[in-house]
Structure formats: C-alpha cells, structure tokens
Amino acid sequence: MQLKLVSQNLVTDNVSVVEGEMAIISCRVKNNDDSVIQLLNPNRQTIYFRDMRPLKDARFQLVNFSDNELRVSLSNVSLSDEGRYVCQLYTDPPQEAYADITVLIPPGNPIIEARDEVLSEGNETEMTCTAMSSKPAATLRWMKGDKELPGKPKVELTYDKMYTVTSRLTFTVSKEDDGVPVVCIVDHPAVKDFQAQKYLEVQYKPEVKIVVEFPQGLTREGENLELTCQAKGKPQPQRVNWVKVDDDVPSHAVITGGDLYIENLNKSYNGTYRCVASNSVGESYDDYILYVYDAPTTTPIPTTATTTTTIITTTISYPEANQDSRAGEGAPRTVDHAVIGGVVAVVVFAMLCLLIVLGRYFARHKGTYFTHEAKGADDAADADTAIINAEGGHTNSDEKKEYYI
C-alpha cells in the first residue's frame, strides 16, 4: 500500500522493493512556477538536480524530467539503500516531500525438522519449521492434509537486523495419518507460494478380520469348518495365532498360517474361536462364535398308495403386433384345448336345455278324445227311435283316439 505525502505543491510516494530489484522514486509538482526540482538521498546528498546527476552512483538513472516531474530509478537495491529520500522544490521558502524506501528481504527456504522419523499410532510427536533471515519477519502456518493446525511461533532479531521465525507444532498421530503430508507455509510480502512439506510415516497395530470359507450357511453336526484370519498392519504382523477362549482348540484341528480347519463337527466344539495378530506396535484380535446345530433329519417315503391328481395348465400365447408372422412357419401349431373344451361344453348344455323344454311341451299337449256316435240314427224314422238306437249302440261303440303334435 502506498501512502501519498503532500507538502504544499510537492508530491511523492513511499516505495517497497525486494532486495536486488529496482525502485522508482517520483517527485511531482502541482502548479509549478518553473521552480527547480532536486532529489536527495537519506544522507542529504543530491542525487539529481533537475536532469543532472551530481552523485557518482550509476545505479541511479533518470527516467523522466519535466516541469512537473522528476522520476529516477534505483537498480539492484540493497539493504543499505533503505531510508528516507527527499524531493526538494526551490521556492521561497523551499518545499520538501519525503519518500521512504523499504527493502524487503525474503526468507531462506523453510526447513522442517521432526522429532520422530517413524511414528507409532496414538503417540504424540513434534515438528518445527524455521524461516531464516527475512525482513520483515515471516508468518508460518501448518497444514496436515487439508486441515490447518495451530503452531507456536517464536521470532528472533539477528545482529544484521534480520528476522528468524520458528514455529513448533505438536499433535497426536493415528493410523489414518500414514502417508499424509504436513506442510509449513511461509507468508511474506517478498515471496508467494513458499512452503516445505514432510510426509508422515505411521506404524499401527494389525487390523484383524475372520472370514468363514465353509460352510456358507449354518454349521451342523458332521460337517467341516474352515476359517481364514486376515491381518494387516504396519509393519506387517509377524505372528497370527488361533486360540479358543476358555478352552483348548480341538486336538484334530488343523492350523496353517492364518487358516483354521476342523473336520466332523459336533456340539462339544461350540465356543469362541479367536485369531490374534501382533507386530512391533501391538496386537489385535477378532472372534468367531461357533454353534453347531443338529444334523438335518430325513423323512421316510410313505409306502401306501396315494392318488395323485394332475392339473394340466395350458398357456395361451398371443403373437405380438410387431412380431414377424413368418417366425412360426414350419413349427407345429399349438392346439387351444381350453377354448375347444369351453365351446363343446356350451353346445352340450344348450342341447340339454332344448330337450327339457320340448319334453315339458309334449307332456302338456298330449290327450285322448272319445266320440259316441249314434249308430243307425241316420236311418231312424223319428227322434225317439234315434235315441233308442243310440243308447243301444253305446256298449258296442268303437273308441277313437286322436293325438295332436
């Protein structure tokens, strides 16, 4: 940030420059009345008088000279160039404006030192980061992975007016920290993205897991059991042991490395089987609880004859609308038995109903009719004779039957 200093009509700016780079000093005049401008160094020696350089330091060069500005460059700036420079305007009385040059010196490469090169899970460790010989003092920050950790800084001023900053970091490591970088970040106006890092190497005790290889389901009498113990740690476990909690492992059990094999299970083998793995950091274990179930029983096949009813299911398949009709050419046709049986049943039922209706109709319209004709009545001389003849012929009269269909 530049701060403008004003003395009547004369203006200049403060300058911050990194050691070895170039600084620009500008003396500017507002409403100049042809007064002379000159630039003096911190020892009040004239660097430039108008456009002339009385000082024999070739690092100072004229950049611009006019009635309103005197601009001078200073190359290869060193710490000895730091101080207050004077812009002077010859008026009555003379006017002065001051430009302070601040020289920035970047720190050396940061150095990380660790108390422990190899860390153990759960232990506390300490690291220090040092940034030496800077001006002004640097600020140090710590990052572990993507998490920022607080450090304890210490600033020292050396004999040559430089600053050395040391930050101390203390934290507890876990197995998840193995391979994680710890970064020391240097914040300084003279540098950007300045940092150092160190990767953590963490040893941790084994992680143990028991895997059932056989059987996949329930463990039953007479079957075999095979277990595998998987152990992983840093360093890799040197020993993997199988034990039975509160008892001995069956005498005929076979243990090969991390594998446990038991034949012909019975209920006396029930219990907790433990796999124990250890390394230089410590030991861990995993348990497997064995419970042997009864062997499956076999149900005898009954000898009595049984009647089996078979239900035949017919599936009706309808071709899809977009299916190629030629796909079924040459294949045997599928007989739709359900449809045919349904049609036959309907026809038979209709015929039975028709026969019942016709039978009832015939029963109602069937009859026998008798006619007693007076035989010889046509030959009778009068009515009385006809009646007598008719009565006399009643006994011997023929019966006539008539049927209507």
Side-chain angles (χ1 to χ4, degrees), residues 131-187:
M132 302 177 63
S133 302
S134 68
K135 182 179 176 298
T139 301
L140 304 182
R141 295 183 294 117
W142 291 96
M143 296 290 293
K144 186 183 75 170
D146 56 357
K147 181 180 180 181
E148 185 169 355
L149 300 179
K152 295 180 180 180
K154 180 182 178 181
V155 181
E156 296 179 358
L157 180 62
T158 61
Y159 68 93
D160 54 355
K161 297 182 181 180
M162 298 291 183
Y163 295 91
T164 296
V165 181
T166 302
S167 180
R168 192 177 307 275
L169 175 66
T170 303
F171 62 98
T172 301
V173 297
S174 64
K175 64 181 179 182
E176 288 78 14
D177 292 330
D178 184 42
V180 174
V182 175
V183 183
C184 175
I185 302 173
V186 180
D187 294 329

